[in-house]
Amino acid sequence: MNVTDAPTSSLQGESTTASAPELAEQDMDLVFDAMGQLFGAKFSSQWGSYDADGAWLAELSHLSRRHLELGISRLRQQVREAARSGDEAWPPQPVAFAALCEPRPEDLGMPAVTEAWREAAGHAHDPAGHRWRHEAVRLAGAAVGWWEITHVQPSRVERLERRFAREYTALINRVMAGEDLTPRQLLEHDGSRSAAEMAERAGREVAQQQAEAAGLPHAMNADQGLRSLRAALGRD
C-alpha cells in the first residue's frame, strides 16, 4: 500500500504524519550489499558497488532503515520463490524496491485499511467507549474528525475514506519507524484517579457529545462546546 497523496492535517490542527529519519550512507550500503548477495553481477554490472549517482537514495530517502530491511526481506522471499519454480530473478529498479519497502498493516499486526475505516466509521459516535483494535485506527479517525465521520453526506463518504486512508498510512509508517503511539492517558489506570477527577472527565465527555449533537464544530473542546450550548439556550 503506497498512498501518494500528501497527508491532510487534522481539524484539531495536528496531523498524524511525522518525518522519517534521514537515511545515511551506510543505509545505502546495506541495500547494495543485499542486492549483491541476491543478484551478483546482474546487479553490480548495472549499478556498481555503491550508489554513485544517488539514484537509489533519491527513491528511498522518505523511508527509514526498518523500511529497507522489510524490502530486503520481501525481495529475498521473491528470489527463493523464483528458485523453487525454476525462474530467473532479476534485481528491481529503485522505484520498484521502494514499493517493496512500504509496510502493509498486517506486517505490523494492524488491521487493513478497509477494516480500519469500517471500525472507525462504526464507532465514531462513541470513540471513547470503544476498545480499538489498534491505537492507529483511533488516531486516524480523530485526525479526520469524529463529527465529520458521523455527519458526512453519502456523496462524500468515498472522499472521507480516502482521507482516512492517508492518515492511517502515515501512522503505519510511524509504527514501522518504531514510534509508540500509545497515548499517555491510556497508561493511567482509572483506579488511580479521585472521584472528583472521574466526575470531571465524565462531565467533559458529556459536554463534548452534546456539542457534537447540536452540530457544533468538532474542533471545539468540551468547555468551548458547553459555553456555546449555554449561549444558544440563553443560559450564559
Side-chain angles (χ1 to χ4, degrees), residues 23-38:
L23 294 177
E25 182 177 342
Q26 56 264 34
D27 296 312
M28 291 300 96
D29 291 341
L30 170 71
V31 173
F32 272 66
D33 289 347
M35 295 292 181
Q37 293 172 7
L38 292 171

Side-chain angles (χ1 to χ4, degrees), residues 22 24 60 71 94 97 100 110 116 138 149-150 152 160 180 187 193 198 214 218 235:
E22 290 187 6
L60 305 176
F97 179 70
L100 283 176
M110 303 166 67
R138 187 191 69 80
I149 294 175
T150 56
V152 65
L160 203 65
D180 182 8
L187 302 178
R193 299 177 183 272
M198 294 290 288
H218 180 73
R235 298 178 181 175

Side-chain angles (χ1 to χ4, degrees), residues 206 210 223-236:
V206 169
Q210 290 174 335
D223 291 335
Q224 291 170 328
L226 187 56
R227 287 197 297 269
S228 295
L229 280 172
R230 288 173 175 168
L233 296 173
R235 298 178 181 175
D236 286 338

Side-chain angles (χ1 to χ4, degrees), residues 4-216:
T4 55
D5 293 336
T8 58
S9 297
S10 72
L11 294 182
Q12 289 87 353
E14 181 179 354
S15 174
T16 61
T17 58
S19 300
E22 290 187 6
L23 294 177
E25 182 177 342
Q26 56 264 34
D27 296 312
M28 291 300 96
D29 291 341
L30 170 71
V31 173
F32 272 66
D33 289 347
M35 295 292 181
Q37 293 172 7
L38 292 171
F39 301 104
K42 286 188 289 188
F43 180 81
S44 60
S45 62
Q46 179 179 3
W47 297 103
S49 58
Y50 66 98
D51 189 24
D53 60 0
W56 285 79
L57 181 59
E59 290 293 342
L60 305 176
S61 60
H62 65 290
L63 303 173
S64 69
R65 188 179 183 90
R66 292 186 66 185
H67 286 86
L68 301 183
E69 292 169 347
L70 174 62
I72 291 169
S73 176
R74 287 178 175 165
L75 195 58
R76 185 174 289 112
Q77 183 62 32
Q78 289 183 2
V79 172
R80 288 174 181 157
E81 291 174 356
R84 291 192 189 102
S85 60
D87 297 330
E88 186 175 6
W90 288 89
Q93 294 298 302
V95 66
F97 179 70
L100 283 176
C101 295
E102 293 289 348
R104 295 183 292 264
E106 50 269 34
D107 294 328
L108 305 169
M110 303 166 67
V113 176
T114 53
E115 296 175 1
W117 167 249
R118 193 177 301 117
E119 182 180 8
H123 297 278
H125 62 287
D126 184 24
H130 176 61
R131 186 179 182 87
W132 298 93
R133 290 178 60 187
H134 195 282
E135 177 65 8
V137 182
R138 187 191 69 80
L139 288 174
V144 172
W146 301 121
W147 192 91
E148 285 75 11
I149 294 175
T150 56
H151 292 77
V152 65
Q153 296 295 321
S155 61
R156 298 176 65 86
V157 170
E158 186 176 347
R159 179 178 180 182
L160 203 65
E161 184 175 359
R162 288 197 302 268
R163 182 176 165 192
F164 175 88
R166 289 195 294 269
E167 296 288 354
Y168 189 56
T169 299
L171 287 159
I172 291 169
N173 281 291
R174 286 170 60 179
V175 172
M176 186 66 188
E179 183 173 341
D180 182 8
L181 302 180
T182 305
R184 184 182 302 274
Q185 59 267 30
L186 291 185
L187 302 178
E188 300 177 1
H189 193 278
D190 281 345
S192 65
R193 299 177 183 272
S194 67
E197 289 174 328
M198 294 290 288
E200 180 183 1
R201 186 177 70 173
R204 288 179 181 275
E205 290 176 354
V206 169
Q208 183 66 51
Q209 292 169 3
Q210 290 174 335
E212 293 179 355
L216 297 176

